[in-house]
Amino acid sequence: MSPSPSAGRPSRPVVAAFDLDDTLARGDTLSPFLRLVAGRARLVGAVVRSAPAIARAARDRAARDDAKERVLRSTLRGYTVDALAAVAARYAPTVPLRDDVIAALRDHQAKGHETLIISASPTIYVRAIADHLGIDHVVATELEVVDGVLTGRYAGRNCRHEEKLRRLLEWLGDREVELHAYGNSPDDDAMLARADHPHHV
């Protein structure tokens, strides 16, 4: 899927960056993971308690980060990293995937391109999904850990929109690459605009 290099210019290594929810995966991946970790009743309770913040987020995309963090605090606080990693390993093979995007992923992998999941979902399970799919790298939302236990708060910022682009550029560093980016939502627009080859899913 990489273009032919321009005459007289050496080819650049190719990186293919994939969003997760509604791009590699069919639908949302966070709610099913939280339900698997905390149970349906606790997840429903967390959503009910966070309802005012969720309502604000529906009107104002900038409020989404706060609403998401409230739900994460109510569901993941107190779990150890090891416990969540074990749940993530069980969860990863069950995530429904989009055949068309997986086909693009496999094409990149067959050509030896470097592959990356870049997602607003928590690294704790995104890494397990990446390992399951043979994807090389993960850039995702980091969660705060104190003495091996999650607080449910972000460690840094939610990895979406401009933060997603910032994290991608930070990860790339000073490398010159041919960048393919795959995404589906306004939160991916900044990344797609930066890519040499944007793929709107």
Side-chain angles (χ1 to χ4, degrees):
M1 295 180 69
S2 58
S4 299
S6 300
R9 189 179 70 184
S11 61
R12 293 174 289 168
V14 176
V15 171
F18 293 84
D19 172 55
L20 178 58
D21 290 9
D22 286 314
T23 300
L24 278 169
R26 285 192 281 112
D28 167 60
T29 61
L30 180 58
S31 294
F33 177 73
L34 297 180
R35 186 166 58 247
L36 189 61
V37 171
R40 184 177 183 278
R42 186 172 175 183
L43 176 58
V44 169
V47 171
V48 170
R49 288 189 299 275
S50 304
I54 292 171
R56 286 194 299 274
R59 299 188 302 270
D60 177 8
R61 293 184 67 85
R64 293 176 62 194
D65 297 345
D66 176 63
K68 177 179 171 181
E69 189 176 42
R70 287 172 183 268
V71 173
L72 292 173
R73 285 204 307 270
S74 294
T75 51
L76 298 185
R77 183 175 57 226
Y79 286 93
T80 66
V81 172
D82 289 345
L84 289 185
V87 175
R90 298 198 306 272
Y91 175 58
T94 72
V95 173
L97 303 170
R98 289 188 53 142
D99 292 342
D100 55 341
V101 183
I102 293 299
L105 167 67
R106 297 308 183 208
D107 186 62
H108 284 292
Q109 290 172 325
K111 292 174 178 175
H113 299 165
E114 198 170 2
T115 53
L116 166 76
I117 294 181
I118 181 160
S119 173
S121 295
T123 302
I124 192 74
Y125 73 81
V126 177
R127 189 172 303 283
I129 293 171
D131 289 345
H132 176 67
L133 294 174
I135 291 174
D136 301 311
H137 307 284
V138 167
V139 174
T141 298
E142 301 291 345
L143 300 181
E144 184 180 63
V145 177
V146 178
D147 296 329
V149 176
L150 274 79
T151 67
R153 297 181 182 276
Y154 301 134
R157 298 179 62 188
N158 194 21
C159 185
R160 68 175 187 89
H161 198 44
E162 293 294 341
E163 178 66 7
K164 179 176 281 192
L165 175 61
R166 188 195 71 78
R167 294 280 305 278
L168 175 62
L169 295 177
E170 180 182 66
W171 177 80
L172 286 171
D174 59 2
R175 292 191 296 160
E176 292 190 11
V177 303
E178 196 84 30
L179 179 63
H180 288 254
Y182 295 77
N184 73 292
S185 78
D187 284 340
D188 301 316
D189 285 351
M191 174 182 72
L192 291 168
R194 169 61 177 77
D196 299 289
H197 303 283
H199 303 270
H200 294 267
V201 176

